[in-house]
């Protein structure tokens, strides 16, 4: 049996053979060879610099857009929750936020300071680093149009400031990261005008609760919307709502959600993903592309940020 072993050295906690089901919103996934929690960015930077240049590294926020295969991750997972937690106003309309801050907290902070444009973050259940990596968005808003600059950390443990125009982004994709990860971002928002109450976080959350399953183990939308169509509609048209593989089921409420209903494995979920793809291709001639990042020993490189094309 594989042992789950924990070591604490210099503000870094390293757990060997950590079950990734504990760290993903689907509650599935095999073990990571090493799971690392840092107390500070300085400690994290020093630790990263000690890793072998061939070590596979996966930064993980809340795992709300990540499927880790049952075979696990044969490398080092960096937990971003609990580190990089700064959140502050730089001037009237600019906000500096660390990659470890919850997207929902950023939305509330902006609302409190009468800033408009970050409301959509309220319903996205991940961290700011994950939002940057995915160009997360909802209700017509998305992350990257708000970005002025980011700070990144590379394998050598160096932190660099990079302008937004050094990155290319589109619908749920970003490219421009080269063996480096997001540490923080500076965002530009708009100042709320007097009597402007057009966008309201409560209304957006209520709208979401009507159309999407909440309080269940999922990864949100599994597939990207293809050009000119909605993935959910194509899946529903194929009669796949309620379809199960093992403990995984296509949501009855929103056909683009797969729920871990009864102790599903990552393999159950991936098999259901493939079944949906095949059925939709057969009926509509459209190959749905997963929005979720599928990670496993064999796939980690090919699913890294920026390698997808829309
Ligand atoms: C119920 C539900 C609803 C959702 N609704 C939406 C929605 O409306 N819109 C939307 O866009 N998404 C939605 N999602 C998906 C998900 O919440 C977002 O993509 C979110 O931004 C992911 O954040 P995370 O911290 O969980 O990322 P993770 O899943 O932990 O990571 C996602 C990817 O980003 C990489 N990454 C994480 N942190 C960093 C970093 N600091 N630097 C570089 N790479 C990093 C990871 O390696 C991985 O490839 C939903 C998910 C759920 C479960």
């Amino acid at each position: 049996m594989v042992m789950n072993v924990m070591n604490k050295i210099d503000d870094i906690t390293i757990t060997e053979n950590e079950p990734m089901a504990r760290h993903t919103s689907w509650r599935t996934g095999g073990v990571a060879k090493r799971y690392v929690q840092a107390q500070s960015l300085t400690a994290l930077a020093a630790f990263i610099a000690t890793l072998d240049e061939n070590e596979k590294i996966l930064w993980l926020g809340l795992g709300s857009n990540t499927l880790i295969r049952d075979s696990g991750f044969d490398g080092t997972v960096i937990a971003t929750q609990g580190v990089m937690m700064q959140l502050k106003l730089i001037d009237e309309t600019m906000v500096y936020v660390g990659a470890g801050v919850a997207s929902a907290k950023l939305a509330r902070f902006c609302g409190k300071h009468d800033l408009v444009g970050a409301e959509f973050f309220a319903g996205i259940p991940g961290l700011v680093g994950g939002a940057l990596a995915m160009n997360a968005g909802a209700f017509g808003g998305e992350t990257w149009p708000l970005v002025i600059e980011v700070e990144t950390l590379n394998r050598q443990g160096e932190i660099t400031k990079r302008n937004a125009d050094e990155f290319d982004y589109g619908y749920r994709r970003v490219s421009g990261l080269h063996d480096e990860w997001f540490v923080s971002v500076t965002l530009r928002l708009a100042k709320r005008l007097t009597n402007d109450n057009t966008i309201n976080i409560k209304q957006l959350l209520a709208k979401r609760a009507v159309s999407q399953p909440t309080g269940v183990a999922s990864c949100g939308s599994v597939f990207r919307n293809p050009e000119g169509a909605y993935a959910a509609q194509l899946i529903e048209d194929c009669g796949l709502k309620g379809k199960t593989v093992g403990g995984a089921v296509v949501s009855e409420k929103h056909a683009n959600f797969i729920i871990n209903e009864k102790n599903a494995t990552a393999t159950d979920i991936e098999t259901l993903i493939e079944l949906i793809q095949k059925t939709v291709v057969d009926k509509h001639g459209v190959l749905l592309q997963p929005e979720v990042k599928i990670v496993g020993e064999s796939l980690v490189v090919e699913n890294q940020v920026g390698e997808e094309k829309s």
Side-chain angles (χ1 to χ4, degrees):
M1 193 180 132
V2 186
M3 293 284 289
N4 187 224
V5 185
M6 189 186 279
N7 292 306
K8 199 165 188 308
I9 325 155
D10 295 336
D11 287 342
I12 293 280
T13 304
I14 303 172
T15 313
E16 288 168 19
N17 303 313
E18 173 71 0
M20 295 314 292
R22 292 181 186 162
H23 305 288
T24 57
S25 61
W26 252 326
R27 306 273 167 257
T28 58
V31 299
K33 187 177 76 182
R34 205 163 21 196
Y35 181 76
V36 174
Q37 292 162 289
Q39 304 300 311
S40 68
L41 180 56
T42 312
L44 177 57
F47 172 79
I48 289 248
T50 66
L51 291 176
D52 186 275
E53 61 177 340
N54 296 317
E55 177 76 359
K56 290 179 191 166
I57 300 175
L58 176 73
W59 280 40
L60 198 66
L62 294 190
S64 67
N65 211 49
T66 303
L67 178 68
I68 297 185
R69 291 188 161 132
D70 297 319
S71 56
F73 182 69
D74 183 24
T76 299
V77 173
I78 303 291
T80 61
Q81 194 177 16
V83 65
M84 303 175 287
M85 298 299 285
Q86 274 205 64
L87 177 54
K88 61 180 185 190
L89 275 180
I90 295 181
D91 67 17
E92 270 222 310
T93 56
M94 265 162 49
V95 174
Y96 174 96
V97 55
V101 172
S103 294
K105 185 172 178 182
L106 169 64
R108 289 193 301 274
F109 178 87
C110 292
K112 197 173 125 201
H113 291 279
D114 284 330
L115 294 173
V116 182
E119 296 78 5
F120 71 89
F121 281 121
I124 298 180
L127 305 184
V128 166
L132 285 166
M134 297 303 306
N135 189 23
F139 300 115
E142 61 178 12
T143 307
W144 274 83
L146 305 174
V147 175
I148 301 203
E149 66 176 21
V150 293
E151 285 175 309
T152 64
L153 174 65
N154 66 15
R155 266 184 189 264
Q156 290 69 45
E158 299 156 344
I159 294 173
T160 310
K161 274 191 184 175
R162 300 189 53 197
N163 279 322
D165 61 15
E166 294 176 52
F167 295 84
D168 181 43
Y169 67 85
Y171 167 56
R172 303 294 175 269
R173 66 157 196 93
V174 180
S175 55
L177 275 182
H178 305 292
D179 229 5
E180 61 193 320
W181 299 272
F182 297 113
V183 162
S184 74
V185 57
T186 302
L187 303 169
R188 162 105 55 212
L189 298 140
K191 196 76 189 154
R192 185 182 296 283
L193 303 170
T194 328
N195 298 330
D196 172 7
N197 53 10
T198 43
I199 310 163
N200 173 318
I201 288 179
K202 266 194 191 156
Q203 287 165 350
L204 291 187
L205 291 178
K207 215 169 157 185
R208 187 179 279 271
V210 170
S211 61
Q212 296 181 2
T214 50
V216 290
S218 84
C219 241
S221 291
V222 175
F223 297 101
R224 305 148 68 90
N225 288 322
E227 194 88 27
Y230 288 103
Q233 193 59 57
L234 298 177
I235 299 167
E236 188 171 347
D237 285 351
C238 292
L240 288 170
K241 275 187 165 180
K243 180 79 190 165
T244 60
V245 171
V249 58
V250 177
S251 167
E252 292 281 0
K253 194 167 180 182
H254 192 305
N256 201 10
F257 277 51
I258 291 179
I259 314 280
N260 177 357
E261 199 174 48
K262 293 181 187 156
N263 294 320
T265 60
T267 308
D268 292 341
I269 292 172
E270 201 171 356
T271 308
L272 189 50
I273 288 174
E274 286 166 6
L275 188 150
I276 293 168
Q277 284 177 313
K278 183 172 183 325
T279 312
V280 172
V281 162
D282 288 349
K283 177 151 183 170
H284 296 289
V286 176
L287 178 61
L288 293 177
Q289 298 295 336
E291 175 182 320
V292 297
K293 299 288 184 183
I294 301 177
V295 171
E297 289 178 349
S298 59
L299 261 197
V300 68
V301 172
E302 111 190 28
N303 277 300
Q304 283 297 297
V305 176
E307 297 207 355
E308 279 189 354
K309 292 278 172 283
S310 52

